[in-house]
Amino acid sequence: SMKCEVLGGSFRSSAEVVASAWQYIFSQSLLVVFLLAQMAPVFCEMWLQEGVIFAVRRLALQLLTLAPVMFIFQAKIIGGYTVNELRFGGATYVATGRGLPTERRPFIGTVVENRIIPGGLYLDYARHTFYDGFNLLILMVLLGCAGGFQGTAGRMVAGILTSISLVTFSWLYAPYVFNPYQFRPQFFSADLRAWRKFFFDDRGQHWVEWYQKDQLKPRRGFVLTVLDPGFVMDFLMVIIWLSALNAKTAVVYHAVPHRHLWYFATLAPPVFSSFLFCCVVACIERLSSRSRMGRRVRAQEKQSYDRVHLSNNGSSSSASEASDNEAQDLESGNSCCKGSCPMMFVSLGCSLCILLDLRPLIWMAEATWRRALVAGLLYKYFWFRICIHFVRVFIRTKVFKQLGKYGRPFELWLWGTGMSRDVVVSSFIFWTLSPVILLSSCSQIVCPTWSFHHLLVYRQPGHSTRESIEAVQRSTGHSDEDSDYADHDDVDSTISADPDSEDDRFAQP
């Protein structure tokens, strides 16, 4: 509720001053000018080649088929790869075979013989666009909860909200909107089954392998990774929201004696409970591994005893075979207690512990301090991002390999929080696309040959009817076997001649 003096001697709130500044930078008029500037080269080229009417029709067709959504997504991908090349280098040309545009890319993988083969749109673009798009969506929701869309400030930032909404939609849904046959109902169950197997089968090892390959790539040193622009921005956000949260809650916490511990819990990063949970899981895994190793040693000793001291009768032979099978099961890891914990269990435990760390902010919601609650959530959110960044950098260093079993809690914490994020983001995208699949199924029932999705992708609503082609045969003196039109009975082509033609070469044979 700080007041700022502006020109003219009047006073306005700090939120209105910031909103007016953002309105000047991201105004609706500037947004329209930017869109027109982007479309001006295409419009001028079509105007010079085909005329102004064709240029207007082409421009309207691009807008109706959501071409700006694809351009925003393409700019994000190109910008990401360019920044990575400038920061880390090592970019090389990858010779890729470009298939037909009618091929459908699965959501997260393909199930073949009850086993999943990872590879889909979500795994291709999660690190590049989906995470950032979901973060923008969360920030917009928190802005709405804080009352940022109400009053004069809401009207002032209408232009930037329009821009952010368009960018968020593009980063989250552009690959699926322009994926051929994405909304066909017959692919819905296959995508859902592949999603379930990717996160749940083999104790989550499919996700772990993809995460290590895609997001834990080695970088060039600790300093260059920490001095990342995203990390610097998160650190500045932590400082800003810390000052805002401290100004709103310090008086309340110091006025009530029994609230001192809650004050420190409010300012603490939301990682301690989840990391303690991962330490407990790592200890259980270690005890389980030792127990399994002890049973394996005892089984091997029993097997050796049976082979040396027992006679070769029928009962002893069956006992020896049983001991051999038990030893083989222990060696192959097929026993009832494996050493690694299911990653979905670790992910669920980390999520619940993070929610437990947010408990000190509950009283703000009960007191209807919406802005203080949003400030606390943003403070915790950016602290959490910084901690993830540090742990990700630490795991890629040589020191982590030297820790051995003592570094397992860091690895479990990073995997658990990462899987939680992927489960939430992929589920949100998948289920928000499901109403479109329902509409597509209804459209197939009503009009099977019409597809609005094909109209967006191919600018063609359905299959075209086969057109009859008229072909003319030349009498050049060659035999019919050498002629391209030798088969006069072909149903897909008809041979016609003009009897009134002046040119004898086109005379009917």
Side-chain angles (χ1 to χ4, degrees), residues 282-299:
C283 293
I284 295 175
E285 287 183 352
R286 187 64 180 174
L287 294 175
S288 175
S289 177
R290 288 186 176 182
S291 176
R292 186 175 59 168
M293 186 178 300
R295 285 188 297 160
R296 180 183 303 173
V297 171
R298 289 192 297 269

Side-chain angles (χ1 to χ4, degrees), residues 496-504 506-508:
S496 62
D498 187 4
D500 299 330
S501 177
E502 298 180 357
D503 195 346
D504 293 336
F506 296 94
Q508 183 175 3

Side-chain angles (χ1 to χ4, degrees), residues 326-449:
E326 183 180 359
Q328 291 177 1
D329 290 339
L330 289 172
E331 290 178 359
S332 60
N334 294 329
S335 59
C336 60
C337 184
K338 294 184 178 181
S340 61
C341 183
M343 288 309 305
M344 185 56 66
F345 174 76
V346 179
S347 172
L348 181 61
C350 290
S351 301
L352 295 178
C353 291
I354 291 173
L355 294 178
L356 183 63
D357 288 332
L358 298 179
R359 187 185 175 191
L361 303 178
I362 294 179
W363 71 270
M364 300 179 188
E366 295 175 351
T368 64
W369 283 15
R370 293 187 305 172
R371 296 182 180 179
L373 177 62
V374 171
L377 291 175
L378 289 174
Y379 171 76
K380 297 279 189 180
Y381 172 73
F382 287 107
W383 248 129
F384 182 74
R385 285 172 59 94
I386 289 179
C387 294
I388 286 182
H389 195 90
F390 271 119
V391 175
R392 187 179 298 168
V393 172
F394 174 67
I395 285 181
R396 289 195 291 251
T397 58
K398 297 180 181 179
V399 179
F400 176 76
K401 296 181 180 179
Q402 297 176 358
L403 290 177
K405 60 183 179 181
Y406 298 103
R408 180 63 174 171
F410 295 95
E411 191 176 46
L412 286 176
W413 184 82
L414 183 62
W415 289 355
T417 54
M419 177 174 275
S420 300
R421 178 180 60 179
D422 283 319
V423 169
V424 172
V425 175
S426 61
S427 300
F428 176 80
I429 296 175
F430 184 82
W431 291 109
T432 50
L433 291 175
S434 58
V436 186
I437 298 176
L438 180 61
L439 294 177
S440 178
S441 61
C442 296
S443 176
Q444 287 186 2
I445 297 175
V446 176
C447 186
T449 59

Side-chain angles (χ1 to χ4, degrees), residues 2-21:
M2 296 176 58
K3 298 293 183 179
C4 300
E5 184 178 1
V6 297
L7 296 178
S10 60
F11 289 89
R12 298 170 60 184
S13 64
S14 58
E16 293 179 354
V17 173
V18 175
S20 61

Side-chain angles (χ1 to χ4, degrees), residues 215-268:
Q215 302 193 28
L216 292 182
K217 296 180 179 179
R219 297 292 186 259
R220 293 189 175 181
F222 182 83
V223 178
L224 292 179
T225 308
V226 170
L227 296 180
D228 182 79
F231 173 79
V232 175
M233 183 62 66
D234 291 341
F235 186 75
L236 292 177
M237 287 295 176
V238 167
I239 296 176
I240 292 172
W241 291 113
L242 174 61
S243 60
L245 184 63
N246 186 54
K248 293 178 180 295
T249 60
V251 177
V252 177
Y253 281 129
H254 289 291
V256 183
H258 65 276
R259 290 281 184 177
H260 291 313
L261 294 178
W262 284 89
Y263 175 70
F264 294 106
T266 302
L267 301 182

Side-chain angles (χ1 to χ4, degrees), residues 36 77 94 183 191 259 349 375 400 422 433 435 464 509:
L36 292 178
I77 297 297
V94 179
F183 304 108
D191 288 338
R259 290 281 184 177
F400 176 76
D422 283 319
L433 291 175
S464 302

